[in-house]
Amino acid sequence: MNSLVVFVVLSGLVALGSGIKLPATYSRCKADDEPCIIQAISDTFHKFQSGVPGLGLASLDPLRIDEMDIVQGTGPVNIVLNFKNVDITGFKDVIVKKAKGLTTNPNVMEMNLLLPVASLVGSYKIKGKVLILPIQGEGASNMTMVNCDFLMKWNGGLEKRENGKQYFQMNKIKATFDTTRFYMHLTNLFNGDKALGDNMNQFLNDNWEDILKELKPAIIGAFTKIFRAIITNVFENVPYDELFLPNA
């Protein structure tokens, strides 16, 4: 997984005074200034969805994830679902609802993002059972969520390293999400049997609420691992005080 692609989650804060030249229109904030931070993160998504070459920041929309697995081993939905080379779209229209805890003395941080339409498109492989029906296939997938309300919350603290600078060390991270509609379309189900494939796709969409209820813990687990790796990468490599404008 390209660990830089969601650097935008925190890049609205970045001052990075170590020689990196930010775009002239790039928003900068002081620590503790939550309204500014919320606006800065929003601006980053909206203005720089194609990336920021000066920062080595890859495309934000579409956002490429090399691999992602959803494994649900018990209950009415029992599947192993593997994704490869997935593009996630929708971040360019994100609404940042909350960004708390990004202070001079951090402990608990919280971020709430609303994506009006979020789509996950890429290669998939699935095997298992959905409610009462067996399912298997390998091909192209499209999973789309409407009004995807994503909340992340993590804790940690500052630690001083040998270079004399302090870095934020993440401990635990939790995530939740809600959506008002969940659409699924999987090609080449049942080895390309069109009738069986069409019926299964119709079944998935007719029963999306029950299916999502069963899949939600596995989906949250997969996305939590992705965001943990990305956010940790930022904090591990950038001294905490360099993420902000100086208070003076």
Side-chain angles (χ1 to χ4, degrees), residues 71-80 129 131 211 213-215 217-218:
V71 180
Q72 175 66 21
T74 60
V77 177
N78 191 328
I79 63 169
V80 175
K129 182 186 72 172
L131 302 183
I211 293 169
K213 181 180 177 181
E214 295 297 323
L215 284 180

Side-chain angles (χ1 to χ4, degrees), residues 191-233:
N191 299 315
D193 188 307
K194 187 176 186 307
L196 288 176
D198 288 348
N199 286 335
M200 175 55 73
N201 276 303
Q202 185 67 48
F203 179 81
L204 293 174
N205 286 286
D206 287 346
N207 296 276
W208 72 270
E209 289 180 289
D210 292 332
I211 293 169
L212 182 60
K213 181 180 177 181
E214 295 297 323
L215 284 180
K216 187 175 275 192
I219 293 174
I220 290 172
F223 274 97
T224 299
K225 289 180 181 178
I226 291 169
F227 278 106
R228 181 183 182 91
I230 293 162
I231 297 170
T232 298
N233 182 72

Side-chain angles (χ1 to χ4, degrees), residues 16 18 25 27 35 55 58 77 110 114 120 122 127 131 139 188 194 220 236:
L16 291 179
S18 53
T25 57
S27 302
L55 295 176
V77 177
E110 188 173 345
L114 175 65
L120 186 152
K127 185 173 183 181
L131 302 183
N188 200 45
K194 187 176 186 307
I220 290 172
E236 285 288 329

